[in-house]
Amino acid sequence: MDDLHFHLDGFLEQGYYDDLKSLIEETYQLAGNAPVTLVVHSMGAPTSLFFLTKVVDQAWKDTYIKAYVTLSGAWRGAAKVMRTMASGDNSGVTVDNPLEWRIAQRSFPSSPWLLPYPSDTWTPDDVIVITTKRNYTAWDYADFYQDVGYPEGYGMFQQLYNLTGPLPPPGVPTYCYYGADVKTPLQFQYAAGEFPDQEPTVVYGPGDGTVNNNSLVSCARWQSEQAQPVYVQAFSGVDHANMVQNMDVIVAIQHIMSS
């Protein structure tokens, strides 16, 4: 449940949520009417949250969902996406020019959906991009997109802004698992004349190497917002991608499924 080329409108148009609903119902029946444990990763977290809060009702969830396990959920975006929109990101492949990647990355409908969400998670005081002329936060996207030469990107962001960013509680027992204590891009500093067409200096902060800690733990707010239990657990030293293959994480999921 993680495709950078789509966002929610694309999933809806492709009938993805209808197929997901049918798959869960079929799995439930094949398992002798046993509720299903839904496991998602990264962008799959907000994608599935939309399903649980906008597509199915509470009675359906009470019947078909045993547990909702989220791994490395990009609940309120990642700072590195602002760098991607400004200068491109070659993901460490030094032979590739980030500016060539930027053309495609800006066109991905999911990119603005994964931007830091302006909220109490990313406040007007949380500077992400620093240039010699001005700084940018998650609250400055109209100016930011204009200044990087891609004003149409702001329109894409506005279309997606409130789909899952407010983080409505899923209404099912939830296990929010995430990697921690891995240095993660947090701030991008551009010297004179570098913004936006040259690579910035990266300042790191806490997270899983991809998603920042403040976004990863946003799910904790549900502990006071829904009747169903919400468990939040960090896995120290496990990076974003390795959450799906780390044995400690796998054992934890097995325990949930067998309990």
Side-chain angles (χ1 to χ4, degrees):
M1 192 180 278
D2 194 348
D3 189 333
L4 295 177
H5 300 85
F6 286 93
H7 60 72
L8 295 180
D9 288 342
F11 287 128
L12 289 167
E13 292 168 4
Q14 295 289 328
Y16 174 82
Y17 287 119
D18 291 335
D19 291 344
L20 177 60
K21 184 171 182 283
S22 296
L23 176 61
I24 292 172
E25 292 170 350
E26 180 183 356
T27 303
Y28 170 89
Q29 293 167 0
L30 290 173
N33 294 347
V36 172
T37 298
L38 185 61
V39 182
V40 301
H41 175 253
S42 190
M43 179 182 164
T47 301
S48 56
L49 182 62
F50 183 87
F51 173 74
L52 291 171
T53 58
K54 305 296 185 183
V55 178
V56 296
D57 60 23
Q58 191 62 48
W60 188 93
K61 291 184 285 190
D62 291 343
T63 299
Y64 291 104
I65 301 297
K66 174 181 180 178
Y68 178 42
V69 183
T70 70
L71 309 178
S72 303
W75 297 113
R76 283 188 159 170
K80 66 178 296 182
V81 180
M82 286 192 75
R83 179 257 191 91
T84 300
M85 294 297 94
S87 308
D89 187 353
N90 62 7
S91 299
V93 182
T94 56
V95 296
D96 290 343
N97 186 340
L99 294 181
E100 294 178 359
W101 280 96
R102 182 177 69 179
I103 297 171
Q105 289 164 335
R106 284 179 172 178
S107 73
F108 293 162
S110 62
S111 293
W113 192 27
L114 294 173
L115 283 165
Y117 183 82
S119 58
D120 56 349
T121 302
W122 298 98
T123 75
D125 294 325
D126 293 322
V127 174
I128 301 172
V129 174
I130 298 174
T131 79
T132 54
K133 294 184 177 180
R134 64 160 295 175
N135 299 332
Y136 301 89
T137 74
W139 297 72
D140 300 315
Y141 288 136
D143 290 343
F144 173 76
Y145 270 114
Q146 185 68 42
D147 293 346
V148 300
Y150 190 62
E152 54 267 44
Y154 184 59
M156 296 170 64
F157 171 77
Q158 288 182 303
Q159 289 178 346
L160 302 170
Y161 176 69
N162 279 320
L163 289 179
T164 58
L167 289 185
V172 294
T174 300
Y175 297 79
C176 182
Y177 293 164
Y178 63 98
D181 304 315
V182 181
K183 70 174 189 177
T184 304
L186 176 63
Q187 197 174 72
F188 307 94
Q189 301 176 349
Y190 292 83
E194 291 184 345
F195 182 76
D197 294 331
Q198 296 185 41
E199 287 298 282
T201 298
V202 180
V203 177
Y204 293 89
D208 68 3
T210 298
V211 180
N212 307 91
N213 192 73
N214 55 342
S215 180
L216 291 165
V217 302
S218 293
C219 52
R221 70 187 58 227
W222 297 332
Q223 291 174 328
S224 62
E225 294 179 356
Q226 67 173 37
Q228 300 82 2
V230 176
Y231 306 96
V232 180
Q233 183 175 347
F235 291 79
S236 181
V238 182
D239 68 26
H240 188 77
N242 282 321
M243 281 293 292
V244 299
Q245 58 188 15
N246 178 270
M247 284 307 303
D248 290 337
V249 177
I250 292 172
V251 169
I253 295 172
Q254 290 174 332
H255 178 73
I256 294 167
M257 296 178 69
S258 62
S259 63

